[in-house]
Amino acid sequence: FNPKAFLTAVMQTYARANKLPLDVMKFMTEVTRFTSPEQLTEAAPLGVYIHGLALEGARWDRDECVLKDSNPNELHPALPVIQVKPVTSDQFVTEGYYQCPVYTNMQRANVYSPSVSEFTLRTTDAPHKWTLASVAVMLQDELN
């Protein structure tokens, strides 16, 4: 499975359907309130739903739908289902979002764990807070 190719395919499918060049495409991510894919009753209206990801360095507050500081003794909290939505560059918004790096595993600096992408996660704090805390999304949590 190649997660980077999967995300590119999502953008490419949208771009072709809307006769847009791929080089103007980006994607935004919205963390849903669904905790498991079994709760979904239909396909995403735009883009795709993904699940099974974990956060490192922060947690997702399900009530406020924003990044929050980690709880004690909670190293890699699971993220709810995420919707990946293709958008054009002019629709891409960074205000109120942390552009969170996504890695295949916990070995961030390892050549075998390249950065897959960046997900936009809502935050009420300044994005640099999360950058300094090295907050990242992991595709696999080796501790669980």
Side-chain angles (χ1 to χ4, degrees):
F1 177 70
N2 185 335
K4 194 175 259 186
F6 174 74
L7 295 171
T8 302
V10 171
M11 287 191 296
Q12 190 172 29
T13 301
Y14 179 83
R16 283 185 181 162
N18 292 283
K19 297 180 175 45
L20 296 167
L22 189 57
D23 60 347
V24 302
M25 298 303 301
K26 292 185 174 271
F27 64 84
M28 300 280 299
T29 53
E30 290 293 328
V31 181
T32 69
R33 293 190 180 272
F34 301 112
T35 55
S36 74
E38 289 78 25
Q39 295 172 308
L40 299 168
T41 57
E42 55 191 40
L46 176 64
V48 295
Y49 290 120
I50 58 174
H51 69 95
L53 309 179
L55 264 175
E56 184 175 68
R59 67 181 169 88
W60 185 257
D61 187 303
R62 288 188 172 105
D63 296 326
E64 294 183 41
C65 296
V66 293
L67 274 178
K68 292 285 184 173
D69 290 320
S70 296
N71 289 328
N73 299 320
E74 192 176 43
L75 294 177
H76 299 109
L79 277 166
V81 174
I82 297 174
Q83 182 182 3
V84 178
K85 301 187 295 189
V87 296
T88 56
S89 298
D90 60 325
Q91 297 169 323
F92 186 74
V93 179
T94 57
E95 185 73 31
Y97 289 92
Y98 166 56
Q99 292 191 37
C100 186
V102 180
Y103 296 97
T104 53
N105 58 44
M106 293 170 49
Q107 310 289 313
R108 297 182 192 202
N110 188 327
V111 69
Y112 299 111
S113 182
S115 174
V116 172
S117 188
E118 285 188 344
F119 282 3
T120 50
L121 300 179
R122 289 188 187 277
T123 180
T124 53
D125 295 307
H128 72 269
K129 171 185 178 174
W130 306 116
T131 302
L132 292 172
S134 297
V135 172
V137 170
M138 304 294 164
L139 298 185
Q140 56 187 70
D141 180 4
E142 288 120 17
L143 298 179
N144 285 337

